[in-house]
Amino acid sequence: MNMVDIRESAVQWAAAISGTLVANFTRENLERLLGGYLEQLLGGGVDEARRAGRSMVEHDLISSATLEQSITHLAEHTPATPAQLAALAAGYAEGLRDRTLDQQEISRTAAINTMRRAEVAVRASEAKFRAVFESAAFGIVVSDLKGEIIDVNEALLSMLDYKQEDVRRMSGRDLVHPDDREGLRQLTKQLIASEHDNVRVEKRMVRSDGETIQTHMAISVVREEDGTPPYLVTMIENMNEMRALQSQLVRQSLNDMQTGLPNRAQFLGWLEGAVGSKGPETLALVQIDVDGFRGMNDAFGHDVGNRVLMHVATHLRAVFTEEVGKVARIGEDEFGVLVKDPRDIPSVVALVDEFTARLQEPTWINGHGVGVTTSVGIVLRAARNGDAVDLLRAADVTVAWAKRDGKAQWALYDRERDQRDRERYALAASIPAALEEGQFRVDYQPVRSLADGSVLSLEAKIVWDHPEQGVLCPEVFLGQATANGMIVRLVRWALEEACAQMSEWHGALGSRTPALTIDLPLRLCQEPELVAEVFRVLDRTGLPASLLSFELHEQVSAMLNGDQLDELTMLTERGVGLVVDQVSGGNIGVGRLRVLPWSGLKFHSVVVHALASGSNRVEESATVALLRWASMLRLPLYADGVRTAVEESRLAELGVTGAQGPHFGPALSVSEVSELLLS
């Protein structure tokens, strides 16, 4: 047959056997495979036919119907000889035999491997159990259903103080407390009879020395599938040790490790109990803060700081005994004392005085004589149905008063003072929102010439148009704004507003424009970019630097470092003036005035009022001497708080250049200043 006939015969062969195939062939692949077999049969002899038969099995043509249809087709449509067809069938049979043997070998090998893996798993499981059994921190007993001991681990021997040979001669019930044996026996019996595999129970056991311990038992029934008798595995935990550990943890969580005193958590629990409906009629809460504690740590190290805390705690225990009150450490350097049903305030104060007196002598630590002082807050109030959180807040506030008033003293809680403080704090906290909502404005206090009454300068005053409290003058809110840092934003805003307004007046008045003065608080003097910020404002608003002066409180210059003084000096070198403000005469000297190139001095109202009619002669003479001394500095002198024409006249006689105050009128709004300057 030629190639065309072979291809046609392959197509017919494929059609004949396609319905018998168990393998997945495309028609094209099947025809190509069968064409190859035809070439082997017709181009060779018996051996090639035998190989073709084996190849059919290798290609999964393994159905008996496939072989039957193939031989029929080849006998009728090809010149294959009977010997070749027989060899094809023989090769096919040999291929099936070898395939079957191979599959059997694979199955046998897989079975052997599975058995080996199972044996390894069993051995590993047993090894793991043995490792857990021997190294477990809790006791384990393996026993039969009658309670006879099969094995115990080292943890159980240690728990009960037995040796291995002793236990092997004992029954499991011998280890259990006599009063619990019957109950445990009944429980085990019920477990074995039930469908459950484990149960948990608390029972007592007896050590070798006769001591009873409370234990928690987890009893499990192990039922083997091979028919061997079941046995019991009991895991035992010593509850005495656990409860002792829990008690220790509770003590640690409620006590300060450094001083041994109860800690804040326990103190809060005392307070909650004291203010309950069954608490005492009254109570006193005393809070003690160690003054300068962080400085002690920085100077001498934390070891000395810890010794100081122990020193304070010792004296607190000695004064506030258990009969008097409960002492706790409630913060890093804070202690609290709760006194139930105190007799009265003087009795509590007397205890505080006794405690502080004990601290007057320095305590010697590592060769250092460390002086310890404390600030103390005392709160006395009705206890029942009170609020522990509010009580603690009141104590914190009172300690803050003691520290603010000079430290090393006690303060008594004052509800009215607290209310005033809270209102100030709330007012200061609302400053950012008020700025956003445009509630602030700048008014201007004219400074008049004492020579001709003209306006020498305008002092900017920040005024708050509060929606609920009305118009608030700077004295009401600037102090608290300084405390919470909002003074920086306020003064920056006011400087921008005032410079922009003064620039407008300068455009109308030219050289007749009075200077602008504004207070520069300490916080802004400490800004590293002060000069840059000021001149950014001047550039944006177009106001000449010569028309701007800052007023600094007389004590500010002593609180600044060299870099900050240099910043202020740079301002003066670029035309901005600096005026010493609030000069009262008691604490200013030439040395302080030399640190900056001042452009004027403004005297406090107390100096001015000493010149009033009927004033104290000593105060008057001191003021006269101060003003005559100041005139020698050859600086313009100004006065604040002038109330009368007499004060004005006396100030002019003594060389004061300008003045402001009620005598010259109140601060003016922008429109009122415009009318004053432009009329």
Side-chain angles (χ1 to χ4, degrees), residues 563-583:
D563 291 339
Q564 293 159 355
L565 291 173
D566 289 344
E567 285 278 308
L568 293 174
T569 301
M570 290 172 61
L571 283 177
T572 64
E573 291 172 348
R574 298 177 66 174
V576 177
L578 294 179
V579 176
V580 185
D581 191 17
Q582 302 293 308
V583 178

Side-chain angles (χ1 to χ4, degrees), residues 22 63 98 107 184 187 272 317 365 434 641 661:
V22 295
S63 170
D98 293 344
S107 298
L184 185 60
L187 183 67
E272 292 288 351
R317 285 193 190 98
I365 303 174

Side-chain angles (χ1 to χ4, degrees), residues 106-345:
I106 292 173
S107 298
R108 187 176 69 86
T109 301
I112 292 172
N113 289 338
T114 300
M115 291 175 63
R116 287 176 177 172
R117 285 194 295 269
E119 290 173 357
V120 170
V122 169
R123 286 195 297 271
S125 177
E126 291 175 349
K128 290 178 181 178
F129 174 78
R130 177 53 58 179
V132 171
F133 181 81
E134 293 176 350
S135 62
F138 45 82
I140 303 177
V141 179
V142 181
S143 60
D144 61 20
L145 300 187
K146 295 180 179 180
E148 296 301 322
I149 296 175
I150 299 172
D151 201 359
V152 297
N153 68 348
E154 286 297 325
L156 184 83
L157 296 174
S158 177
M159 183 190 304
L160 300 180
D161 193 25
Y162 279 108
K163 295 181 178 179
Q164 186 74 247
E165 56 269 21
D166 297 332
V167 174
R168 290 190 180 278
R169 293 193 297 266
M170 301 171 65
S171 169
R173 60 185 283 110
D174 296 332
L175 304 177
V176 180
H177 191 279
D179 294 343
D180 288 345
R181 290 173 183 171
E182 181 59 27
L184 185 60
R185 188 183 71 82
Q186 292 294 334
L187 183 67
T188 305
K189 184 177 179 181
Q190 293 172 8
L191 174 63
I192 295 170
S194 69
E195 296 179 354
H196 301 292
D197 291 330
N198 55 73
V199 67
R200 295 176 180 270
V201 65
E202 286 194 14
K203 294 294 181 182
R204 291 168 292 175
M205 299 185 74
V206 182
R207 288 170 46 88
S208 63
D209 57 7
E211 179 187 349
T212 300
I213 61 172
Q214 189 74 26
T215 67
H216 182 272
M217 298 181 178
I219 307 171
S220 301
V221 179
V222 180
R223 297 180 173 92
E224 300 288 4
E225 295 182 357
D226 59 2
T228 57
Y231 56 92
L232 301 174
V233 176
T234 304
M235 298 184 182
I236 304 167
E237 185 177 15
N238 188 341
M239 298 302 293
N240 288 4
E241 293 179 357
M242 179 62 67
R243 287 167 182 167
L245 178 60
Q246 289 173 344
S247 299
Q248 182 181 356
L249 292 174
V250 169
R251 284 195 301 272
Q252 291 177 354
S253 67
L254 296 177
N255 286 272
D256 172 51
M257 301 300 293
Q258 180 64 42
T259 63
L261 291 174
N263 62 11
R264 186 178 184 87
Q266 189 165 353
F267 193 73
L268 289 174
W270 293 343
L271 279 182
E272 292 288 351
V275 299
S277 59
K278 297 182 179 180
E281 290 289 338
T282 60
L283 61 80
L285 177 57
V286 181
Q287 183 167 321
I288 302 100
D289 278 21
V290 180
D291 295 328
F293 181 71
R294 178 163 295 181
M296 292 182 197
N297 277 339
D298 292 342
F300 303 114
H302 287 277
D303 182 60
V304 171
N306 292 337
R307 297 280 295 277
V308 167
L309 293 176
M310 289 296 300
H311 178 67
V312 173
T314 299
H315 288 306
L316 280 174
R317 285 193 190 98
V319 174
F320 295 94
T321 60
E322 293 184 1
E323 293 76 19
V324 175
K326 296 182 176 181
V327 183
R329 183 185 178 189
I330 60 176
E332 180 187 12
D333 58 349
E334 299 172 341
F335 297 85
V337 182
L338 179 62
V339 182
K340 295 183 179 180
D341 284 324
R343 187 168 65 251
D344 50 29
I345 292 178

Side-chain angles (χ1 to χ4, degrees), residues 466-481:
H466 198 280
E468 298 174 358
Q469 301 184 36
V471 177
L472 303 178
C473 62
E475 292 77 12
V476 174
F477 57 86
L478 283 187
Q480 197 58 43

